[in-house]
Amino acid sequence: MTETTTSEPLLITQKRPLLAWVLLTCMALVWGSSFIMMKKALGTFTVQQVASGRIFFAFLFFLPLMLAQIRKPHVQQALQRRWPALLASGTLGFLLPAFLFAEAGAHLSSSLSGTLNSLSPLFVLLTGTLLFQQRFRANQVWGIMLGFVGSLILVFFSATGTFTINGYALLVVLATLMYGINTNLIGKYLSHLPALVVTAWTFAFIGPVAGVFLLSTDFISRAVAADALMPLGAVLFLGILASGITSVLFIRVVQLASGVFAASVTYLIPVVAVVWGLFDGETIYPQQYLGLTISLAGIYLVNRQK
């Protein structure tokens, strides 16, 4: 799921340069691979360490940028006025979902977690309508309904191939709900700030807290163990690459093409997650493909312009 947004007008017919397609592919590969990386990291580290480590390393990645930005008077003024919104965005868009995805990843296949993540655009529209007084079109109503049906199939059928109530799948749904609220929150309260400023400074509020929590555990002793190289690399991947660099790539794609084009990464992330699951020997049931297909059809209707 993407973790930044833009409020600029969108021109659907504008040209999309080759660089935009390359960056979009990179985004899909990184974010789609996040779920298998989370699974590998959880082989050595605890749920709390993976989640807090992801946030802390993303904070370290953005720290030099924040030190450069804080010297600018207009950034200082914006931060003084908007710090509550930045704190809320960091909590809903990064901190809490990181713990929810890590906890779910300890019990679900990476392919299922990645597939459920495709529900994020549906919650963007739903929460925008219910909490932020946004209007929606008739085709978006059908999209929400289809997405809801697809999510029910994914939650109740795809984890084992038979009907079962899977609470861990609901954790991923809760995380995507938070993504939806956060996207609308940014659009309403932080849209006047550059997206890079918003992304960086959300970690300024939650990164130090995550760092204190992480370093209060036995993370370092686990990290220096002989067999911890790959799990540690997975945590770094999640923080620096997935939450840090790829967020910057998302902004660049919006600049090169449009927000609608950048959001199309949502269609690709589950595909990458499922492919990784197959390579890792995970069992992917027909119900999972069915739920994914229905959910993506709903997302298509939600994002269709007419």
Side-chain angles (χ1 to χ4, degrees), residues 246-268:
T246 310
S247 296
V248 178
L249 295 185
F250 180 85
I251 298 168
R252 184 57 180 155
V253 171
V254 172
Q255 294 171 340
L256 289 170
S258 70
V260 171
F261 179 71
S264 63
V265 71
T266 306
Y267 299 95
L268 304 176

mmCIF file of all heavy atoms in Angstrom, residues 246-268:
data_model
loop_
_atom_site.group_PDB
_atom_site.id
_atom_site.type_symbol
_atom_site.label_atom_id
_atom_site.label_comp_id
_atom_site.label_asym_id
_atom_site.label_seq_id
_atom_site.Cartn_x
_atom_site.Cartn_y
_atom_site.Cartn_z
ATOM 1 N N THR A 246 11.066 4.005 -1.734
ATOM 2 C CA THR A 246 9.941 3.796 -2.633
ATOM 3 C C THR A 246 8.859 4.847 -2.449
ATOM 4 O O THR A 246 8.136 5.181 -3.397
ATOM 5 C CB THR A 246 9.356 2.381 -2.438
ATOM 6 O OG1 THR A 246 10.415 1.426 -2.496
ATOM 7 C CG2 THR A 246 8.356 2.050 -3.530
ATOM 8 N N SER A 247 8.743 5.406 -1.253
ATOM 9 C CA SER A 247 7.815 6.523 -1.055
ATOM 10 C C SER A 247 8.243 7.725 -1.884
ATOM 11 O O SER A 247 7.405 8.458 -2.427
ATOM 12 C CB SER A 247 7.745 6.897 0.429
ATOM 13 O OG SER A 247 7.217 5.842 1.203
ATOM 14 N N VAL A 248 9.546 7.932 -1.994
ATOM 15 C CA VAL A 248 10.069 9.018 -2.827
ATOM 16 C C VAL A 248 9.795 8.725 -4.301
ATOM 17 O O VAL A 248 9.432 9.622 -5.075
ATOM 18 C CB VAL A 248 11.574 9.215 -2.577
ATOM 19 C CG1 VAL A 248 12.127 10.318 -3.475
ATOM 20 C CG2 VAL A 248 11.834 9.546 -1.108
ATOM 21 N N LEU A 249 9.947 7.460 -4.717
ATOM 22 C CA LEU A 249 9.656 7.086 -6.103
ATOM 23 C C LEU A 249 8.191 7.341 -6.446
ATOM 24 O O LEU A 249 7.869 7.784 -7.557
ATOM 25 C CB LEU A 249 9.984 5.604 -6.339
ATOM 26 C CG LEU A 249 11.442 5.180 -6.218
ATOM 27 C CD1 LEU A 249 11.599 3.711 -6.597
ATOM 28 C CD2 LEU A 249 12.348 6.050 -7.074
ATOM 29 N N PHE A 250 7.322 7.074 -5.490
ATOM 30 C CA PHE A 250 5.897 7.318 -5.713
ATOM 31 C C PHE A 250 5.641 8.789 -6.032
ATOM 32 O O PHE A 250 4.885 9.118 -6.956
ATOM 33 C CB PHE A 250 5.102 6.893 -4.478
ATOM 34 C CG PHE A 250 3.621 7.097 -4.611
ATOM 35 C CD1 PHE A 250 2.830 6.144 -5.217
ATOM 36 C CD2 PHE A 250 3.029 8.248 -4.116
ATOM 37 C CE1 PHE A 250 1.459 6.334 -5.348
ATOM 38 C CE2 PHE A 250 1.668 8.451 -4.247
ATOM 39 C CZ PHE A 250 0.876 7.494 -4.860
ATOM 40 N N ILE A 251 6.283 9.661 -5.272
ATOM 41 C CA ILE A 251 6.126 11.099 -5.501
ATOM 42 C C ILE A 251 6.615 11.462 -6.902
ATOM 43 O O ILE A 251 5.992 12.246 -7.621
ATOM 44 C CB ILE A 251 6.896 11.897 -4.437
ATOM 45 C CG1 ILE A 251 6.328 11.594 -3.048
ATOM 46 C CG2 ILE A 251 6.847 13.399 -4.718
ATOM 47 C CD1 ILE A 251 7.193 12.092 -1.915
ATOM 48 N N ARG A 252 7.747 10.880 -7.314
ATOM 49 C CA ARG A 252 8.308 11.183 -8.624
ATOM 50 C C ARG A 252 7.380 10.725 -9.748
ATOM 51 O O ARG A 252 7.231 11.408 -10.771
ATOM 52 C CB ARG A 252 9.686 10.525 -8.763
ATOM 53 C CG ARG A 252 10.408 10.854 -10.053
ATOM 54 C CD ARG A 252 10.571 12.349 -10.215
ATOM 55 N NE ARG A 252 11.272 12.692 -11.446
ATOM 56 C CZ ARG A 252 11.149 13.845 -12.083
ATOM 57 N NH1 ARG A 252 10.339 14.782 -11.595
ATOM 58 N NH2 ARG A 252 11.832 14.084 -13.180
ATOM 59 N N VAL A 253 6.726 9.572 -9.583
ATOM 60 C CA VAL A 253 5.791 9.084 -10.591
ATOM 61 C C VAL A 253 4.603 10.035 -10.720
ATOM 62 O O VAL A 253 4.129 10.318 -11.826
ATOM 63 C CB VAL A 253 5.320 7.657 -10.253
ATOM 64 C CG1 VAL A 253 4.186 7.226 -11.175
ATOM 65 C CG2 VAL A 253 6.480 6.681 -10.364
ATOM 66 N N VAL A 254 4.120 10.535 -9.586
ATOM 67 C CA VAL A 254 3.028 11.507 -9.624
ATOM 68 C C VAL A 254 3.442 12.741 -10.416
ATOM 69 O O VAL A 254 2.676 13.288 -11.210
ATOM 70 C CB VAL A 254 2.602 11.896 -8.193
ATOM 71 C CG1 VAL A 254 1.607 13.048 -8.225
ATOM 72 C CG2 VAL A 254 1.999 10.698 -7.473
ATOM 73 N N GLN A 255 4.686 13.176 -10.216
ATOM 74 C CA GLN A 255 5.186 14.352 -10.921
ATOM 75 C C GLN A 255 5.340 14.084 -12.419
ATOM 76 O O GLN A 255 5.060 14.951 -13.249
ATOM 77 C CB GLN A 255 6.528 14.789 -10.330
ATOM 78 C CG GLN A 255 6.425 15.286 -8.893
ATOM 79 C CD GLN A 255 7.783 15.506 -8.250
ATOM 80 O OE1 GLN A 255 8.787 14.963 -8.713
ATOM 81 N NE2 GLN A 255 7.815 16.298 -7.190
ATOM 82 N N LEU A 256 5.777 12.898 -12.774
ATOM 83 C CA LEU A 256 6.009 12.573 -14.174
ATOM 84 C C LEU A 256 4.726 12.282 -14.932
ATOM 85 O O LEU A 256 4.613 12.599 -16.114
ATOM 86 C CB LEU A 256 6.938 11.352 -14.284
ATOM 87 C CG LEU A 256 8.397 11.564 -13.893
ATOM 88 C CD1 LEU A 256 9.115 10.224 -13.815
ATOM 89 C CD2 LEU A 256 9.096 12.482 -14.884
ATOM 90 N N ALA A 257 3.760 11.664 -14.265
ATOM 91 C CA ALA A 257 2.537 11.251 -14.950
ATOM 92 C C ALA A 257 1.309 11.838 -14.266
ATOM 93 O O ALA A 257 0.875 12.928 -14.576
ATOM 94 C CB ALA A 257 2.473 9.726 -15.008
ATOM 95 N N SER A 258 0.771 11.110 -13.298
ATOM 96 C CA SER A 258 -0.395 11.585 -12.549
ATOM 97 C C SER A 258 -0.571 10.720 -11.315
ATOM 98 O O SER A 258 0.007 9.630 -11.203
ATOM 99 C CB SER A 258 -1.660 11.516 -13.405
ATOM 100 O OG SER A 258 -2.031 10.167 -13.628
ATOM 101 N N GLY A 259 -1.405 11.198 -10.394
ATOM 102 C CA GLY A 259 -1.700 10.408 -9.208
ATOM 103 C C GLY A 259 -2.459 9.144 -9.543
ATOM 104 O O GLY A 259 -2.267 8.103 -8.919
ATOM 105 N N VAL A 260 -3.352 9.222 -10.534
ATOM 106 C CA VAL A 260 -4.117 8.041 -10.955
ATOM 107 C C VAL A 260 -3.174 6.964 -11.491
ATOM 108 O O VAL A 260 -3.302 5.781 -11.171
ATOM 109 C CB VAL A 260 -5.155 8.427 -12.014
ATOM 110 C CG1 VAL A 260 -5.799 7.186 -12.615
ATOM 111 C CG2 VAL A 260 -6.216 9.332 -11.407
ATOM 112 N N PHE A 261 -2.215 7.396 -12.308
ATOM 113 C CA PHE A 261 -1.255 6.437 -12.855
ATOM 114 C C PHE A 261 -0.417 5.818 -11.740
ATOM 115 O O PHE A 261 -0.187 4.609 -11.708
ATOM 116 C CB PHE A 261 -0.343 7.140 -13.865
ATOM 117 C CG PHE A 261 0.704 6.237 -14.457
ATOM 118 C CD1 PHE A 261 0.374 5.238 -15.345
ATOM 119 C CD2 PHE A 261 2.043 6.402 -14.114
ATOM 120 C CE1 PHE A 261 1.340 4.409 -15.892
ATOM 121 C CE2 PHE A 261 3.024 5.577 -14.652
ATOM 122 C CZ PHE A 261 2.676 4.575 -15.542
ATOM 123 N N ALA A 262 0.031 6.630 -10.782
ATOM 124 C CA ALA A 262 0.833 6.110 -9.674
ATOM 125 C C ALA A 262 0.036 5.129 -8.822
ATOM 126 O O ALA A 262 0.559 4.120 -8.355
ATOM 127 C CB ALA A 262 1.347 7.264 -8.814
ATOM 128 N N ALA A 263 -1.254 5.415 -8.646
ATOM 129 C CA ALA A 263 -2.095 4.540 -7.825
ATOM 130 C C ALA A 263 -2.337 3.194 -8.477
ATOM 131 O O ALA A 263 -2.754 2.242 -7.815
ATOM 132 C CB ALA A 263 -3.433 5.221 -7.533
ATOM 133 N N SER A 264 -2.081 3.082 -9.777
ATOM 134 C CA SER A 264 -2.270 1.800 -10.459
ATOM 135 C C SER A 264 -1.301 0.736 -9.960
ATOM 136 O O SER A 264 -1.457 -0.445 -10.289
ATOM 137 C CB SER A 264 -2.112 1.972 -11.972
ATOM 138 O OG SER A 264 -0.804 2.390 -12.310
ATOM 139 N N VAL A 265 -0.319 1.127 -9.149
ATOM 140 C CA VAL A 265 0.583 0.150 -8.542
ATOM 141 C C VAL A 265 -0.201 -0.836 -7.683
ATOM 142 O O VAL A 265 0.239 -1.962 -7.444
ATOM 143 C CB VAL A 265 1.677 0.862 -7.721
ATOM 144 C CG1 VAL A 265 1.099 1.477 -6.455
ATOM 145 C CG2 VAL A 265 2.808 -0.095 -7.376
ATOM 146 N N THR A 266 -1.386 -0.404 -7.226
ATOM 147 C CA THR A 266 -2.228 -1.269 -6.400
ATOM 148 C C THR A 266 -2.595 -2.561 -7.121
ATOM 149 O O THR A 266 -2.768 -3.607 -6.497
ATOM 150 C CB THR A 266 -3.516 -0.518 -6.002
ATOM 151 O OG1 THR A 266 -3.162 0.716 -5.391
ATOM 152 C CG2 THR A 266 -4.351 -1.329 -5.042
ATOM 153 N N TYR A 267 -2.713 -2.493 -8.444
ATOM 154 C CA TYR A 267 -3.061 -3.681 -9.208
ATOM 155 C C TYR A 267 -1.895 -4.670 -9.289
ATOM 156 O O TYR A 267 -2.099 -5.868 -9.480
ATOM 157 C CB TYR A 267 -3.480 -3.300 -10.632
ATOM 158 C CG TYR A 267 -4.690 -2.408 -10.701
ATOM 159 C CD1 TYR A 267 -4.554 -1.031 -10.787
ATOM 160 C CD2 TYR A 267 -5.968 -2.933 -10.681
ATOM 161 C CE1 TYR A 267 -5.658 -0.198 -10.854
ATOM 162 C CE2 TYR A 267 -7.085 -2.115 -10.746
ATOM 163 C CZ TYR A 267 -6.923 -0.749 -10.827
ATOM 164 O OH TYR A 267 -8.018 0.073 -10.889
ATOM 165 N N LEU A 268 -0.681 -4.163 -9.162
ATOM 166 C CA LEU A 268 0.507 -4.987 -9.369
ATOM 167 C C LEU A 268 1.048 -5.599 -8.087
ATOM 168 O O LEU A 268 1.651 -6.670 -8.111
ATOM 169 C CB LEU A 268 1.609 -4.145 -10.038
ATOM 170 C CG LEU A 268 1.230 -3.482 -11.368
ATOM 171 C CD1 LEU A 268 2.375 -2.603 -11.865
ATOM 172 C CD2 LEU A 268 0.872 -4.530 -12.406
#
